[in-house]
Amino acid sequence: MKVIIETNAGTFAAYLTGAGDILLYQGEDETAVATIAPLVKRRPTLDLSTDGVTTAVRDWLESTYDRLDIESVVVHLVPPGR
C-alpha cells in the first residue's frame, strides 16, 4: 500500500512494508524520514487497513510538524514488493 499526502510542509509518501511497518518519505528523498508502527486495533491485532495506515501517518505528521495543513490524501493499493 502506498499513501501520498500533500501538505503545506511538502509531499509525503508512506509505504506499508511486508513486516507491517510504515516507511515515510518526504518529497523526492530516497531515505525514509521515519518508520512508523501501525496502530493497534485490538491487542495483539495491528490495523493494516487503508484507514489505519492513513491515520497512523497523519497522526505522526501532525505531531511532528507545527501548523500542518493536509491538502489531500491519495491511497494506491499496490502488490507487495513494489
Side-chain angles (χ1 to χ4, degrees), residues 4 12 17-21 27 32 36-38 55 68 71 75 81:
I4 303 293
F12 295 87
T17 67
D21 292 327
I36 304 168
T55 301
L68 183 79
E71 298 163 2
V75 178

Side-chain angles (χ1 to χ4, degrees), residues 38-49 52:
L39 301 176
V40 177
K41 266 183 169 173
R42 286 174 252 115
R43 297 214 183 266
T45 305
L46 298 175
D47 187 358
L48 301 178
S49 68

Side-chain angles (χ1 to χ4, degrees), residues 20-37:
D21 292 327
I22 303 165
L23 296 178
L24 183 66
Y25 297 87
Q26 184 174 13
E28 298 294 321
D29 223 357
E30 292 186 14
T31 305
V33 294
T35 301
I36 304 168

Side-chain angles (χ1 to χ4, degrees), residues 5-10 12 57-58 60-71:
I5 299 179
E6 291 184 20
T7 72
N8 61 333
F12 295 87
V57 172
R58 183 180 184 140
W60 187 89
L61 287 171
E62 289 176 343
S63 68
T64 304
Y65 292 92
D66 289 335
R67 296 188 167 107
L68 183 79
D69 292 327
I70 295 178
E71 298 163 2

